[in-house]
Amino acid sequence: MLRYLYGDQLCNYPKLADSMFRDRAAQFHERLGWDVTVDDRGWERDAYDDLNPLYVIWENHEGSHGGSMRFLPTTGQTMVNDHFVDLMDGVELQSPFIWECTRFCLNPNAESRVAAALMLAGGELMRAFDVRHFVGVFDARMVRIYRMIGSSPEILGQTGKGRDMIAVGLWGYDDKARESVAHRAGISPELSEKWFLKSFGFEPRLQLVA
Amino acid sequence: MGQNIQSLIGQLDQADTLDDLQSIILTLRDQFRIDHAVYHWISSDGEQFGCGTYPTDWVQTYVDNDYLRVDPVVIGCYQRFHPVNWKRLDWSSKQARAFQKEAIAAGVGNQGMSIPIRGPNGQYALFTVSHTCSDEEWEVFTESHQRDLILLAHYFNKSALKIAKGRKPEIVKSLSRRETDALTYLAMGYGRGQVAEMLSISEHTLRVYIESARFKLGATNTTHAVAKAITEGLIVIGGAALGTSGDWPGKAPNGA
């Protein structure tokens, strides 16, 4: 199922959080060879994980991580504005209607529908909260992954060539694509909505009462 | 409504003082035909910025009763960045229901939407609209105005940031974002172990944050530090909590 969790809610899902940060280490550190920090727990975390971002996570049946991505509003601190403004001719993107999406990660054994499910979730966020665009930084190896899941971004700026290409991309909301993405994910729009409400609507808190 | 939004945004762009913001939020309330609208932010030097239309007695009641611990708006909006319909919050506890009853009696309204704002350098502010109507009417209202309200929330924040910048900087205690987070979660009634987990730090690190906040606040112990942070307005209190401009708890009233 899809879960939408802020950073301070991850502690209620220890298995999910642990496997997500481990899968991120496997993808970004081991496979993609990015210059990221892996801590003594085997977790890949960066400074933006400390800003209480919103994670969208596909949870496997046994409660572990199948895939995820991380969102922050561009009105606050973001990776693209902190480190990649030179790719944008010095322009800082700043709008309550543009959220940054980073750390798109899939478990190596994830079913192929997980990527589509995450796309569906991105669409739910846009629809419910009036977000118009997601912005994100990606490298050459992610281009293929985005193409594979049918979600290639519009390139706002890039540097480097071939394998060393790094780009800032923009994703918009396409209401017409919702049905087909839902179909590919094998999730009915109704079920997706139910999961969304479960995360953002009232859900009894089990562990939060002191 | 489109033209009115333009006009409100234009006014916000021209606003130089908190009194300007107060008169704009009154206009906003009248234009949207709702009971109340509130904007609240606490700057890094501990000065409260805000404006709003709530009855002033309600603020005092809120602070006196330490409602920060039970207000579902606080719990549901702190460090979030998506708009929150109050109907989606957890009002199931006996305390929350009693609080809601009192808020409604105080004229806050039975419906509300709060828009948490994330600004530069970990800034956190809250914009709230509230009203008295049926669930269906509120659903229609929020669906048709959410985008405008998000935009206005952020323009209020922009103006507040601009006004804060123009103020003469005073040396007041300033808490770091992590210190504020730690104290806010404690003020909401979470245990230390839970707060450490929520911030993804060890309890040892949490203790260091609390100690440094305690020192900056000149408080004798953690409970005292939390109480001081609330009364001195270092913690953003809920949508249901705020009074009119210039009459925030901890700040001398200016008769707005």
Side-chain angles (χ1 to χ4, degrees), chain A residues 140 158-166:
Chain A
Q158 65 182 80
T159 183
K161 284 210 166 76
R163 280 173 59 94
D164 296 325
M165 192 275 289
I166 292 176

Side-chain angles (χ1 to χ4, degrees), chain B residues 189-250:
Chain B
Y190 293 106
R192 281 166 184 260
Q194 292 170 313
V195 175
E197 281 196 356
M198 289 161 81
L199 296 175
S200 200
I201 54 178
S202 68
E203 280 198 53
H204 181 78
T205 307
L206 178 68
R207 226 176 297 142
V208 176
Y209 285 162
I210 295 170
E211 169 52 27
S212 105
R214 186 196 66 75
F215 178 74
K216 287 179 191 167
L217 291 167
T220 46
N221 56 37
T222 307
T223 313
H224 189 205
V226 170
K228 275 196 109 165
I230 294 169
T231 51
E232 294 184 13
L234 296 170
I235 292 175
V236 170
I237 50 180
L242 308 167
T244 50
S245 166
D247 200 11
W248 306 111

Side-chain angles (χ1 to χ4, degrees), chain A residues 120-175:
Chain A
L120 184 65
E124 299 289 24
L125 289 176
M126 286 179 152
R127 246 164 35 102
F129 302 142
D130 276 311
V131 179
R132 294 299 152 97
H133 294 97
F134 295 141
V135 63
V137 180
F138 58 94
D139 71 359
R141 277 155 287 202
M142 290 301 289
V143 172
R144 192 180 53 83
I145 297 174
Y146 290 138
R147 194 181 303 133
M148 193 181 74
I149 64 175
S151 179
S152 292
E154 179 188 333
I155 307 278
L156 295 182
Q158 65 182 80
T159 183
K161 284 210 166 76
R163 280 173 59 94
D164 296 325
M165 192 275 289
I166 292 176
V168 174
L170 194 70
W171 289 261
Y173 178 59
D174 183 359
D175 200 29

Side-chain angles (χ1 to χ4, degrees), chain B residues 89-109:
Chain B
L89 296 167
D90 181 1
W91 299 89
S92 63
S93 79
K94 206 172 145 190
Q95 282 176 309
R97 285 202 307 274
F99 166 76
Q100 186 180 34
K101 214 170 146 191
E102 213 178 324
I104 290 169
V108 167

Side-chain angles (χ1 to χ4, degrees), chain B residues 42-254:
Chain B
I42 294 153
S43 74
S44 57
D45 61 9
E47 185 76 4
Q48 300 201 47
F49 279 86
C51 51
T53 64
Y54 280 149
T56 28
D57 319 352
W58 175 235
V59 183
Q60 204 51 51
T61 310
Y62 190 100
V63 172
D64 290 348
N65 290 300
D66 203 4
Y67 278 152
L68 193 70
R69 282 175 177 270
V70 287
D71 186 350
V73 177
V74 169
I75 297 161
C77 291
Y78 187 61
Q79 294 301 359
R80 303 293 184 252
F81 47 81
H82 68 275
V84 176
N85 186 334
W86 289 3
K87 274 274 132 45
R88 304 252 177 275
L89 296 167
D90 181 1
W91 299 89
S92 63
S93 79
K94 206 172 145 190
Q95 282 176 309
R97 285 202 307 274
F99 166 76
Q100 186 180 34
K101 214 170 146 191
E102 213 178 324
I104 290 169
V108 167
N110 65 327
Q111 306 286 354
M113 181 166 81
S114 293
I115 299 166
I117 297 157
R118 195 166 289 191
N121 304 315
Q123 187 216 8
Y124 167 74
L126 195 62
F127 179 82
T128 288
V129 288
S130 67
H131 195 49
T132 309
C133 63
S134 71
D135 289 359
E136 292 73 26
E137 285 169 301
W138 190 243
E139 202 74 36
V140 169
F141 175 83
T142 51
E143 254 180 43
S144 51
H145 297 303
Q146 177 171 275
R147 189 179 152 82
D148 288 342
L149 291 168
I150 293 173
L151 200 59
L152 287 165
H154 282 84
Y155 278 114
F156 266 100
N157 196 51
K158 267 194 144 165
S159 281
L161 284 166
K162 193 179 74 185
I163 292 166
K165 221 178 188 175
R167 276 179 43 251
K168 201 168 70 207
E170 296 152 52
I171 307 303
V172 200
K173 54 230 119 191
S174 117
L175 297 183
S176 75
R177 207 182 68 83
R178 299 293 265 180
E179 286 166 337
T180 310
D181 282 352
L183 283 189
T184 304
Y185 287 128
L186 288 172
M188 289 178 195
Y190 293 106
R192 281 166 184 260
Q194 292 170 313
V195 175
E197 281 196 356
M198 289 161 81
L199 296 175
S200 200
I201 54 178
S202 68
E203 280 198 53
H204 181 78
T205 307
L206 178 68
R207 226 176 297 142
V208 176
Y209 285 162
I210 295 170
E211 169 52 27
S212 105
R214 186 196 66 75
F215 178 74
K216 287 179 191 167
L217 291 167
T220 46
N221 56 37
T222 307
T223 313
H224 189 205
V226 170
K228 275 196 109 165
I230 294 169
T231 51
E232 294 184 13
L234 296 170
I235 292 175
V236 170
I237 50 180
L242 308 167
T244 50
S245 166
D247 200 11
W248 306 111
K251 199 181 168 210
N254 65 6

Side-chain angles (χ1 to χ4, degrees), chain A residues 22 27 31 36 51 55 57 59 62 69 73 75 85-86 97 116 126 129 145 149 163 191 203:
Chain A
R22 283 174 188 281
Q27 174 169 325
R31 287 205 302 283
V36 293
L51 299 179
Y55 301 92
I57 310 175
E59 184 184 298
E62 77 283 16
M69 49 195 180
T75 51
V85 274
D86 49 326
F97 306 114
M126 286 179 152
F129 302 142
I145 297 174
I149 64 175
R163 280 173 59 94
L191 181 60
E203 185 183 16

